[in-house]
């Protein structure tokens, strides 16, 4: 059995029972693609939604626009320049093309490259994940990409209170300000359902994760971009399979 297959099996953890949509906690992340604080949040923190059963109680949304501005002539300018505008649109298209959080491994892969100052190779993420690039390419090079960015511009500009910086993380309508890395505790506090997930009730999750990471490091050495990608991607595969959204095996 090769290392990849072992990792696939390692991350096929049981999914929790379905949660009524009315009980789910909204969790919105407003960000921009080349912001270093945003890539740090996505790469080093957001995977925790999928590593446990926390995603089962969460209505999760990424909004790639951030501090961009719409000029009077209708063009969009971005804080970190044209490359950020491109990647904002690429990630918006991925979210549009692959719903039900299937898009997250792709966004994670792109932001891993941003995090490691190698974002010009973002298109390699299609091959790394075995994804067809055509739907996303058609979107970001066409009118749909612009429609999505205008939609995210409207959502970002309508925030109340207005966002002050990015990442701007909102749980159940309340911004977390500088405490955004502690989003798990806020989600757990906001959850009003009768059956809280283990991520909110047990300390054993950290121990389980330590065993998983020890296994990854024994296979790949110290943690690399690819091992982090497996970490996010395979946890999501597990959740999607457990909820019968996809069947990849």
């Amino acid at each position: 059995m090769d290392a990849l297959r072992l990792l696939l099996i390692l991350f096929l953890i049981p999914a929790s029972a379905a949660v009524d949509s009315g009980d789910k906690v909204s969790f919105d992340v407003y960000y921009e693609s080349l912001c270093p604080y945003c890539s740090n949040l996505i790469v080093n923190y957001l995977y925790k939604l999928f590593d446990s059963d926390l995603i089962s109680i969460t209505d999760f949304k990424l909004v790639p626009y951030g501090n961009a501005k719409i000029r009077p002539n209708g063009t969009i300018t971005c804080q970190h320049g044209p490359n950020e505008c491109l990647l904002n649109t690429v990630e918006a298209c991925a979210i549009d093309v692959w719903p039900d959080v299937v898009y997250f491994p792709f966004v994670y892969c792109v932001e891993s490259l941003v995090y490691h100052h190698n974002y010009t190779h973002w298109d390699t993420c299609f091959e790394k994940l075995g994804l067809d690039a055509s739907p996303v390419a058609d979107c970001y090079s066409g009118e749909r990409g612009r429609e999505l960015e205008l939609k995210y511009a409207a959502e970002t500009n309508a925030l109340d209170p207005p966002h002050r910086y990015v990442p701007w993380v909102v749980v159940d309508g309340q911004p977390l300000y500088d405490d955004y890395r502690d989003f798990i505790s806020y989600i757990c506090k906001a959850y009003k359902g009768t059956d809280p997930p283990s991520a909110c009730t047990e300390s054993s999750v950290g121990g389980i994760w330590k065993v998983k990471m020890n296994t990854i490091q024994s296979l790949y050495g110290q943690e690399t971009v690819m091992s982090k990608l497996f970490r996010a991607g395979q946890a999501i595969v597990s959740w999607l399979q457990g909820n019968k959204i996809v069947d990849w095996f």
Side-chain angles (χ1 to χ4, degrees):
M1 181 181 295
D2 62 20
L4 173 59
R5 185 65 179 176
L6 180 57
L7 283 170
L8 291 174
I9 293 172
L10 181 63
F11 279 95
L12 290 178
I13 56 176
S16 63
V19 174
D20 186 277
S21 59
D23 290 332
K24 288 193 174 184
V25 178
S26 65
F27 176 46
D28 305 327
V29 177
Y30 297 83
Y31 74 105
E32 56 195 22
S33 58
L34 295 187
C35 160
Y37 298 102
C38 300
S39 62
N40 179 56
L41 174 66
I42 292 170
V43 172
N44 294 315
Y45 294 89
L46 286 188
Y47 75 85
K48 297 175 183 179
L49 275 175
F50 307 97
D51 182 50
S52 67
D53 49 358
L54 192 67
I55 188 62
S56 68
I57 66 165
T58 306
D59 185 8
F60 175 52
K61 181 173 69 174
L62 286 177
V63 182
Y65 183 78
N67 295 322
K69 303 292 184 184
I70 302 176
R71 290 179 171 177
N73 65 3
T75 60
I76 298 175
T77 59
C78 297
Q79 183 175 9
H80 298 95
N83 285 329
E84 180 166 78
C85 283
L86 170 63
L87 287 184
N88 282 352
T89 307
V90 166
E91 294 184 14
C93 287
I95 293 167
D96 188 55
V97 169
W98 299 309
D100 295 318
V101 301
V102 178
Y103 63 82
F104 189 77
F106 178 80
V107 172
Y108 184 99
C109 179
V110 173
E111 291 302 320
S112 292
L113 294 174
V114 173
Y115 185 75
H116 290 89
H117 311 290
N118 198 25
Y119 68 85
T120 56
H121 297 287
W122 64 268
D123 56 346
T124 61
C125 288
F126 293 111
E127 182 178 356
K128 289 175 181 177
L129 295 168
L131 296 170
D132 179 8
S134 300
V136 173
D138 291 344
C139 174
Y140 73 74
S141 62
E143 187 59 29
R144 180 57 177 164
R146 176 172 171 77
E147 290 174 358
L148 291 170
E149 279 306 296
L150 291 176
K151 169 191 171 185
Y152 287 142
E155 289 184 19
T156 303
N157 293 334
L159 283 166
D160 184 17
H163 82 285
R164 301 178 185 174
Y165 44 76
V166 287
W168 190 254
V169 179
V170 180
V171 172
D172 253 14
Q174 299 300 314
L176 304 191
Y177 298 100
D178 291 337
D179 209 19
Y180 63 84
R181 296 177 190 85
D182 193 27
F183 61 85
I184 291 177
S185 66
Y186 285 92
I187 292 172
C188 291
K189 289 176 184 176
Y191 180 59
K192 305 303 181 186
T194 57
D195 187 19
S198 60
C200 297
T201 60
E202 298 177 5
S203 60
S204 60
V205 174
I208 293 171
W209 174 243
K210 183 176 180 181
V211 171
K212 289 181 179 181
M213 287 311 303
N214 286 343
T215 303
I216 289 176
Q217 289 177 1
S218 70
L219 292 168
Y220 290 98
Q222 292 302 308
E223 192 173 28
T224 64
V225 172
M226 285 308 295
S227 67
K228 284 185 175 182
L229 186 57
F230 279 121
R231 176 172 72 187
Q234 301 315 321
I236 294 170
V237 168
S238 171
W239 181 80
L240 293 171
Q241 287 185 312
N243 286 275
K244 303 186 184 304
I245 294 174
V246 296
D247 184 8
W248 291 350
F249 295 100

